[in-house]
Amino acid sequence: LHWEMRRAGGLLIEMADAHALPAGSALAVDRDAFAKGVTDRLNAHPNVTIDRAEITALPGPDTGLWIVATGPLTSSALATAIGAATGETALAFFDAIAPIVHTESIDMSKAWMQSRYDKGDTEEERTAYLNCPMDKDQYEAFIDAILSADVTEFHDWEKDTPYFDGCLPIEVMAARGRETLRYGPMKPVGLTNPHNPTQKAHAVVQLRRDNALGTLFNIVGFQTKMKYGAQTEVFRSIPGLQDAQFARLGGIHRNTFLNSPRLLDGQMRLKSAPHIRFAGQITGVEGYVESGAMGLLAGRLAVAELAGNTPPDIPMTTAMGALVNHITGGADAKTFQPMNVNFGLFPPLEGARGGRRGRKERYKGYTDRAKLDWADWLGAF
């Protein structure tokens, strides 16, 4: 997906590359510098006019083409207008955010820097994650503390709102089984503790750098709805974080998204009002890159329409095509939930070997095919 965005000249991926932080095989950015870079580029563009007035209703068909990219926190007025135009009640789930720790407060006599399996092309990438190990007793005590912690109560109207499985709060994961976290964000594989290299950790908490200066670290996978007092107590029980100072504690937010398989066509247009496209997270994709990719795609499709071109169908063999196909028809509208890009959305390769042995070869085949088909699609209009 990154490659396809770069090949298509995407502004967001260009700015992400310009302000990237070491994160092993992941793409992480200095969010302040990234945001400023995007804003400055838009402000300086001669063909862009920025109007910060609020939009409270969907524009009519005589007002030109529109792209609605209001994100997960669409205002009540506009959400109501979208619901009225589509005849659908917008779906929603809670997305939880993880705490951020001041680096100087982490005890490096217990923690160490290493990416799992030493992934990365540079030493900086191979040491992008900060690791805090736990033995079995510490892990069991940690699970007990999570399960007994005070959590934020939902309002009555929020109680039936589902979570996205890819971003579950740690207390929800812990409640599903005591080993769930140890086989999820706290898995101890691919790591060697230099403070005790002969003893394998029972579980490991990982933190990832959150800014270019390296002064902040995000606790990976530790989204939570625990109350603030409970968070500080529970997270300071992690070896290496006993004196942790938090720049931000975890929390939850509501995420509104469309039932896109029912409402959008293959060009991301609202079926009942095709002069309007939707883009970004509101379409039912999950993840920063996926959201940016859907914005890039919606923009290109709108420009093609304005120029009088009819682009061919987006190849399902590409990451963009697989994702947009999923949200606009590949998923079951009755059970639609937000989705990250993954190889399970791609059409199978003929003759590819199955099982774990053939996975690397199969994934390489997917990406080679996607690059060729994406380049062909971009050159077709």
Side-chain angles (χ1 to χ4, degrees):
L1 191 60
H2 295 171
W3 185 93
E4 291 177 13
M5 293 174 74
R6 292 184 183 105
R7 183 62 183 261
L11 171 61
L12 294 187
I13 196 73
E14 178 190 338
M15 289 294 109
D17 288 337
H19 302 289
L21 299 175
S25 59
L27 175 60
V29 302
D30 184 319
R31 64 189 68 197
D32 292 329
F34 167 80
K36 184 177 186 302
V38 174
T39 301
D40 289 348
R41 181 72 67 84
L42 292 175
N43 281 332
H45 199 292
N47 295 336
V48 173
T49 300
I50 297 177
D51 185 341
R52 302 191 184 281
E54 182 183 2
I55 301 292
T56 58
L58 291 177
D62 57 344
T63 58
L65 298 184
W66 292 77
I67 298 173
V68 178
T70 49
L73 298 179
T74 302
S75 70
S76 296
L78 187 54
T80 299
I82 293 169
T86 61
E88 295 287 336
T89 301
L91 303 179
F93 64 91
F94 284 106
D95 216 355
I97 57 176
I100 292 177
V101 179
H102 289 284
T103 309
E104 62 185 12
S105 68
I106 299 171
D107 183 356
M108 294 305 295
S109 69
K110 297 179 179 178
W112 78 96
M113 303 298 298
Q114 182 188 6
S115 299
R116 279 200 179 91
Y117 301 105
D118 298 310
K119 285 185 178 180
D121 296 328
T122 66
E123 181 64 18
E124 195 173 32
E125 290 173 339
R126 290 189 287 271
T127 57
Y129 289 83
L130 192 150
N131 302 280
C132 299
M134 288 185 180
D135 60 28
K136 190 175 189 299
D137 290 341
Q138 289 169 330
Y139 176 78
E140 293 296 336
F142 184 66
I143 297 299
D144 288 337
I146 291 173
L147 293 175
S148 62
D150 288 336
V151 297
T152 303
E153 296 295 331
F154 291 144
H155 298 290
D156 289 339
W157 54 271
E158 298 172 322
K159 289 181 178 177
D160 294 330
T161 304
Y163 290 106
F164 170 52
D165 275 349
C167 197
L168 290 172
I170 58 169
E171 58 272 10
V172 174
M173 287 190 278
R176 292 184 173 184
R178 297 186 68 87
E179 293 289 281
T180 302
L181 283 169
R182 205 168 74 85
Y183 283 88
M186 295 179 67
K187 56 182 177 287
V189 299
L191 298 166
T192 301
N193 183 356
H195 305 303
N196 194 354
T198 61
Q199 183 173 351
K200 181 178 174 60
H202 187 72
V204 174
V205 175
Q206 283 200 312
L207 294 86
R208 184 174 65 198
R209 204 164 87 178
D210 201 68
N211 64 346
L213 295 174
T215 57
L216 300 173
F217 272 77
N218 185 304
I219 309 182
V220 177
F222 270 44
Q223 302 82 218
T224 182
K225 58 188 181 73
M226 286 189 285
K227 292 183 177 179
Y228 284 173
Q231 286 186 51
T232 55
E233 182 177 349
V234 171
F235 295 145
R236 284 175 181 160
S237 71
I238 298 170
L241 301 186
Q242 64 273 6
D243 299 316
Q245 297 297 313
F246 296 93
R248 181 190 76 190
L249 288 165
I252 57 173
H253 64 266
R254 186 178 176 86
N255 187 343
T256 301
F257 62 97
L258 298 174
N259 190 330
S260 294
R262 187 170 292 162
L263 300 177
L264 302 184
D265 68 15
Q267 295 239 338
M268 306 175 71
R269 294 174 298 205
L270 192 60
K271 293 176 183 177
S272 60
H275 66 291
I276 297 174
R277 281 181 169 83
F278 282 84
Q281 197 167 342
I282 195 172
T283 63
V285 295
E286 176 65 20
Y288 292 121
V289 177
E290 288 87 340
S291 299
M294 292 301 96
L296 173 57
L297 191 57
R300 279 188 159 266
L301 292 171
V303 168
E305 185 173 342
L306 284 169
N309 296 324
T310 304
D313 292 339
I314 306 150
M316 285 179 55
T317 53
T318 66
M320 292 266 197
L323 194 56
V324 77
N325 173 73
H326 176 79
I327 64 172
T328 61
D332 184 347
K334 292 181 180 179
T335 58
F336 182 60
Q337 284 288 307
M339 178 63 74
N340 297 99
V341 69
N342 63 83
F343 284 121
L345 302 180
F346 287 58
L349 283 167
E350 291 185 14
R353 289 191 297 168
R356 290 190 177 183
R357 281 190 170 185
R359 183 181 299 171
K360 185 174 182 180
E361 173 190 324
R362 191 166 66 254
Y363 288 176
K364 177 67 162 53
Y366 283 141
T367 56
D368 288 345
R369 181 182 64 178
K371 289 178 179 180
L372 289 172
D373 291 351
W374 182 245
D376 287 345
W377 187 79
L378 287 175
F381 65 99

